[in-house]
């Protein structure tokens, strides 16, 4: 069939429709687009596949209530799927083969792993907060001090960079994005230049939220990289 007809059928969401294309097949065609060197085709199929993956996850407004931890796990699932697809786009990835055979089960496995990761992260962060206010405890604030995981003397060490990257991977998606942007020296906010690229604008969060999540992330990174400083 023509590429336009293929895309039309892949966009069908009703699984009872005789023209419906299974997600495993959509992924197969997406991977094949690399051989065709068709960026437009890849982008179209990529969007379709991510929509299907999202529909397999619990959402706000659905019959199943979505807690903050589950919403965070959903973000991790989509992030991991993005990584697998983008990696496969550059170098063939065997990890994506399973999804080409059992797509829904692959998503379910990612979600199980994500929920475990979020659970571990929440336990780790529990001791960072004041139980009454929900803010970072005074001890943690003092421990963070002027801590900067990207200090020149440290970041030049290859072993430290490797451990830092692994530690950043344990953070929730929002904190990962904040830390990575700080690593690139993107400012949190700007009062002098309204057109400046900032973390606050990019992520659509107020400055206080960015700074709070930065401090949470730095507290976790310091514990992982240097041990408990309290």
């Amino acid at each position: 069939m023509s590429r336009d007809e293929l895309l039309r059928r892949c966009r069908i969401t009703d699984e009872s429709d005789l023209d419906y294309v299974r997600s495993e097949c959509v992924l197969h065609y997406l991977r094949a687009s690399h051989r065709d060197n068709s960026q437009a085709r890849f982008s179209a199929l990529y969007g379709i596949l991510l929509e299907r993956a999202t529909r397999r996850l619990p959402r706000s407004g659905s019959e199943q209530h979505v807690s903050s931890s589950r919403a965070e796990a959903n973000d991790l699932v989509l992030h991991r799927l993005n990584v697998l697809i983008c990696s496969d786009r550059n170098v063939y990835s065997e990890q994506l083969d399973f999804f080409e055979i059992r797509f829904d089960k692959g998503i379910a496995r990612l979600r199980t792993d994500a929920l475990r990761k979020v659970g571990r992260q929440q336990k780790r962060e529990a001791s960072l907060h004041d139980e009454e206010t929900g803010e970072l405890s005074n001890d943690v604030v003092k421990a963070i001090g002027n801590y900067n995981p990207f200090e020149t003397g440290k970041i030049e060490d290859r072993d430290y960079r490797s451990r830092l990257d692994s530690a950043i991977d344990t953070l929730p998606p929002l904190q990962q994005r904040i830390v990575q942007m700080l690593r690139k020296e993107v400012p949190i906010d700007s009062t002098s230049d309204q057109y400046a690229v900032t973390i606050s604008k990019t992520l659509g969060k107020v400055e206080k939220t960015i700074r709070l999540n930065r401090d949470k992330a730095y507290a976790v990174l310091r514990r992982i990289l240097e041990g408990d400083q309290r």
Side-chain angles (χ1 to χ4, degrees), residues 194-205:
Q194 61 176 324
Y195 299 108
V197 175
T198 66
I199 299 176
S200 182
K201 288 180 183 178
T202 303
L203 301 182
K205 305 289 184 183

Side-chain angles (χ1 to χ4, degrees), residues 61-74:
S62 65
E63 295 180 359
Q64 183 175 357
H65 173 69
V66 182
S67 65
S68 60
S69 60
R70 290 183 181 274
E72 191 172 307
N74 289 351

Side-chain angles (χ1 to χ4, degrees), residues 37-174:
N37 196 29
S38 174
Q39 183 61 38
R41 187 183 183 197
F42 170 82
S43 298
L45 292 171
Y46 183 65
I48 291 169
L49 197 67
L50 286 185
E51 286 182 9
R52 293 192 179 198
T54 301
R55 287 199 297 271
R56 291 293 182 267
L57 302 171
R59 306 185 302 276
S60 299
S62 65
E63 295 180 359
Q64 183 175 357
H65 173 69
V66 182
S67 65
S68 60
S69 60
R70 290 183 181 274
E72 191 172 307
N74 289 351
D75 287 343
L76 282 175
V77 170
L78 296 178
H79 172 71
R80 181 57 182 161
L81 182 61
N82 274 320
V83 170
L84 288 174
I85 292 174
C86 292
S87 297
D88 184 75
R89 186 74 172 164
N90 296 318
V91 180
Y92 171 75
S93 172
E94 291 185 355
Q95 295 183 53
L96 205 54
D97 289 351
F98 184 83
F99 292 81
E100 202 170 329
I101 301 170
R102 296 286 300 278
F103 184 79
D104 288 353
K105 189 169 184 178
I107 294 297
R109 286 183 174 180
L110 287 183
R111 189 161 175 272
T112 297
D113 291 343
L115 285 170
R116 288 173 179 166
K117 182 176 181 179
V118 170
R120 290 194 298 269
Q121 180 62 34
Q122 289 182 338
K123 288 181 180 178
R124 181 182 294 157
E125 286 195 357
S127 61
L128 302 178
H129 296 81
D130 185 295
E131 294 183 359
E132 295 182 359
T133 65
E135 299 289 335
L136 291 177
S137 67
N138 291 331
D139 287 342
V140 173
V141 172
K142 291 179 181 178
I144 296 175
N146 295 319
Y147 177 70
N148 178 11
F150 308 120
E151 289 180 7
T152 303
K154 297 178 180 178
I155 208 68
E156 290 177 351
D157 181 81
R158 180 180 299 178
D159 178 64
Y160 175 81
R161 289 198 304 272
S162 176
R163 291 189 297 113
L164 175 60
D165 290 339
S166 297
I168 291 174
D169 285 342
T170 69
L171 300 172
L174 175 60

